[in-house]
Amino acid sequence: MKTLNYLEYLMKIFDIACITEARTHNLDEIRHSLKGCERIGSFVAKDCTAEAGVFILVGPKVLLHYDIVSSYVSETAEGKGRIVSIVLGPKTGSREARSTCRITCAYLKSGDSAQAVNMRKITQMEEIFHKIPRDTDFEFLGGDLNIKYGKKSKASDKLEEFLQNRQMSEAVQEQHTFYRMHGAEVTSSHIDRWFSNITPIQELLVEASATVVTKVPYTVASYCKGQMDHAVAVHPK
């Protein structure tokens, strides 16, 4: 029920949602709710909780004007349950001039120190940037990348290389997105990130931005009313 409340709230204020760390046992309650939405996802078996899953929800307002014309759902050893991508195009028969758009949701391997972890992240990024074509007017990539903003690593260097080749830039927000207890101290980092290929000229008309939504149920932001720097404890529910 918590998962459903969370998703219902998101789809009331957003037209598209990229969800990471989605367990298959949560999907049964979703299938009969969120009416009018389309869901494309990549999942793993219920016992593979550490590998989680990802999916993209598209709301009815978008589907009124766009079709999901194609999708990429990873079935590779490293990408299954971690990479999914969709292309939105004007509805069949539409005479309106509308741009095409690709949205990719990713959940990269967690951890930022061990060499094996970094190599798995790089393998997952190679799949995203090599197997998913650049074939739309606009492109968006987001999710739990587990690559800390502002911290250098082999994975962050490879991400920057791929983004430059793809001509994508980050929509940066100052607020950290991940919180946990480390002993008696709350530690945080910025590992949930969002990128687009919006150009400086296009930014004159629309600007990509990112923010922490403070009222989403069962999130750290909702517990401390968005004042993350005042958080003194984080406990699992």
Side-chain angles (χ1 to χ4, degrees), residues 3-216:
T3 301
L4 189 56
N5 289 343
Y6 172 77
L7 292 176
E8 286 179 337
Y9 181 85
L10 281 180
M11 297 312 292
K12 284 180 181 178
I13 58 177
F14 299 111
D15 295 320
I16 299 173
C18 294
I19 308 298
T20 62
E21 298 190 63
R23 272 52 169 183
T24 53
H25 60 268
N26 289 331
L27 296 181
D28 291 336
E29 62 190 51
I30 297 173
R31 288 191 178 96
H32 303 293
S33 302
L34 300 169
K35 294 187 183 301
C37 295
E38 290 285 343
R39 175 177 56 83
I40 304 293
S42 176
F43 303 98
V44 294
K46 292 182 180 181
D47 58 343
C48 299
T49 55
E51 301 305 317
V54 292
F55 65 91
I56 300 173
L57 274 176
V58 183
K61 291 182 181 178
V62 174
L63 296 173
L64 185 64
H65 303 286
Y66 289 89
D67 289 328
I68 301 176
V69 297
S70 66
S71 63
Y72 177 86
V73 178
S74 179
E75 292 293 338
T76 68
E78 294 292 348
K80 185 175 177 61
R82 292 183 175 274
I83 301 168
V84 64
S85 182
I86 65 171
V87 170
L88 295 172
K91 292 193 76 68
T92 303
S94 173
R95 296 183 179 181
E96 298 182 11
R98 295 184 181 274
S99 301
T100 56
C101 170
R102 176 177 288 282
I103 301 169
T104 301
C105 177
Y107 170 50
L108 302 189
K109 179 65 178 175
S110 59
D112 59 3
S113 56
Q115 182 177 355
V117 170
N118 270 285
M119 292 308 299
R120 289 190 66 181
K121 290 179 185 176
I122 291 172
T123 299
Q124 289 158 355
M125 284 189 285
E126 286 176 340
E127 179 174 349
I128 292 170
F129 290 102
H130 292 162
K131 290 193 174 183
I132 298 177
R134 182 184 176 189
D135 55 358
T136 57
D137 299 310
F138 294 101
E139 183 174 13
F140 300 92
L141 164 66
D144 187 351
L145 299 193
N146 281 306
I147 299 175
K148 295 178 181 178
Y149 176 77
K151 182 176 180 178
K152 295 286 288 182
S153 66
K154 291 182 179 179
S156 69
D157 290 342
K158 183 60 69 171
L159 174 62
E160 185 61 32
E161 176 188 328
F162 284 145
L163 292 171
Q164 288 182 3
N165 291 339
R166 206 84 164 197
Q167 297 181 321
M168 300 180 77
S169 59
E170 184 164 10
V172 179
Q173 52 90 15
E174 296 180 358
Q175 187 64 64
H176 284 186
T177 60
F178 176 72
Y179 288 76
R180 66 181 173 187
M181 292 296 294
H182 184 70
E185 179 185 3
V186 176
T187 62
S188 62
S189 58
H190 186 171
I191 56 177
D192 303 281
R193 303 173 68 177
W194 190 250
F195 306 91
S196 73
N197 68 339
I198 294 176
T199 67
I201 297 299
Q202 291 164 339
E203 285 181 355
L204 297 175
L205 300 175
V206 58
E207 181 180 357
S209 62
T211 187
V212 173
V213 182
T214 61
K215 296 182 180 180
V216 178

